[in-house]
Amino acid sequence: MNVKTESTSSPKRLARIAGVFYLLVALFGGFAEGFGDPKMYVAGNAAATAANVLADPGLVRMIVVAHLVNAVFFILTAMAFYILLQHVNKSVAMAMLICVALSAGITTLNAVFQFEGLQVATNSSYVDAFGAAGSNALVLLLLDIQHYGTLSAQVFFGLWLAPLGYLAYKSGLFPKALGVTLVAATVYYLVHLITAFLVPDFHKQIQPFILIVIIAEVWLLGYLLIVGVRNVKPGKNILAAATV
């Protein structure tokens, strides 16, 4: 009796573990990308960007670390989902994991450019070599790379939601509407990215549709933490996913 109870609760435990990891992704990623990066980076303004970095180098270091920690927890989130959902379709689950690994890798690499921007801003040898204007321009260049590199990572940050949505839909462990909403969020991410590079004016007009992403991710996070997964009907083989 005890063994059975423990086994049937394993998917819920896995889901809640994924939820905790995903919450940490939201916290560290939200701090880094939602608060920290915009506070430092001023597009097209080298002097203002360098001044922001110089004004609070400790904050820049915290932002860099937040990006790195966010990447680690993102990988752990995907691994938990892989274990939970691989029984539905192992190839699709692997595609989800690969997308997350690529997104985390790009984000981690971009954090190095941000840190180097701090190094240039705070090291007087760059001013001696390039002058104040040249040094500021170099800081802006490095943060430009970090900004657009992080934007590029959205290709995979968006794509991971499509296989996740499919697996959630087919598994029966989550509401089917949640699976559909996750796939819709993928579409928004990709359109958002393409327009940012090709048609910046239109890119600004579609910003309100980010509500789709907010609904999808908050719904997923809340479901994982509060519900975990739906109770499994007898005869459905999901227990193997919890023990692999």
Side-chain angles (χ1 to χ4, degrees):
M1 181 69 176
N2 291 337
V3 174
K4 183 177 179 182
T5 302
E6 182 179 354
S7 297
T8 54
S9 66
S10 294
K12 285 187 178 289
R13 288 204 306 272
L14 271 172
R16 291 200 170 104
I17 289 169
V20 171
F21 288 152
Y22 203 29
L23 176 61
L24 291 170
V25 169
L27 293 174
F28 283 101
F31 169 76
E33 296 182 30
F35 171 76
D37 291 348
K39 195 172 180 65
M40 294 296 120
Y41 174 71
V42 183
N45 192 326
T49 299
N52 290 340
V53 173
L54 274 172
D56 201 342
L59 178 59
V60 178
R61 294 177 188 276
M62 290 174 63
I63 296 167
V64 170
V65 171
H67 276 300
L68 299 177
V69 174
N70 169 56
V72 171
F73 282 117
F74 194 22
I75 292 286
L76 291 174
T77 300
M79 290 174 66
F81 274 124
Y82 179 83
I83 296 170
L84 179 65
L85 296 170
Q86 64 172 317
H87 70 283
V88 178
N89 188 311
K90 197 163 187 175
S91 296
V92 174
M94 182 59 70
M96 174 193 68
L97 196 57
I98 290 171
C99 286
V100 171
L102 289 170
S103 176
I106 294 170
T107 301
T108 301
L109 177 61
N110 288 329
V112 175
F113 289 103
Q114 192 171 41
F115 185 74
E116 284 305 306
L118 172 64
Q119 298 294 93
V120 172
T122 56
N123 191 329
S124 60
S125 64
Y126 288 96
V127 175
D128 296 338
F130 302 112
S135 176
N136 290 347
L138 186 54
V139 172
L140 178 61
L141 174 62
L142 291 166
L143 267 66
D144 263 333
I145 294 171
Q146 189 269 336
H147 172 76
Y148 286 103
T150 300
L151 190 61
S152 297
Q154 283 190 11
V155 172
F156 302 106
F157 189 77
L159 282 176
W160 93 286
L161 293 173
L164 177 61
Y166 171 84
L167 295 169
Y169 183 92
K170 297 291 287 185
S171 68
L173 298 176
F174 301 93
K176 289 188 180 296
L178 175 56
V180 173
T181 307
L182 289 169
V183 175
T186 295
V187 175
Y188 171 81
Y189 268 119
L190 295 180
V191 173
H192 178 267
L193 175 66
I194 291 169
T195 55
F197 285 104
L198 295 181
V199 278
D201 291 336
F202 181 69
H203 169 75
K204 296 176 183 177
Q205 295 176 19
I206 68 169
Q207 291 285 6
F209 290 99
I210 197 173
L211 182 63
I212 298 171
V213 176
I214 295 172
I215 292 172
E217 298 198 14
V218 171
W219 187 0
L220 175 61
L221 178 60
Y223 200 88
L224 289 168
L225 293 175
I226 297 170
V227 179
V229 292
R230 285 176 167 173
N231 291 327
V232 184
K233 293 180 181 179
K236 287 197 174 182
N237 182 22
I238 71 163
L239 299 183
T243 57
V244 173

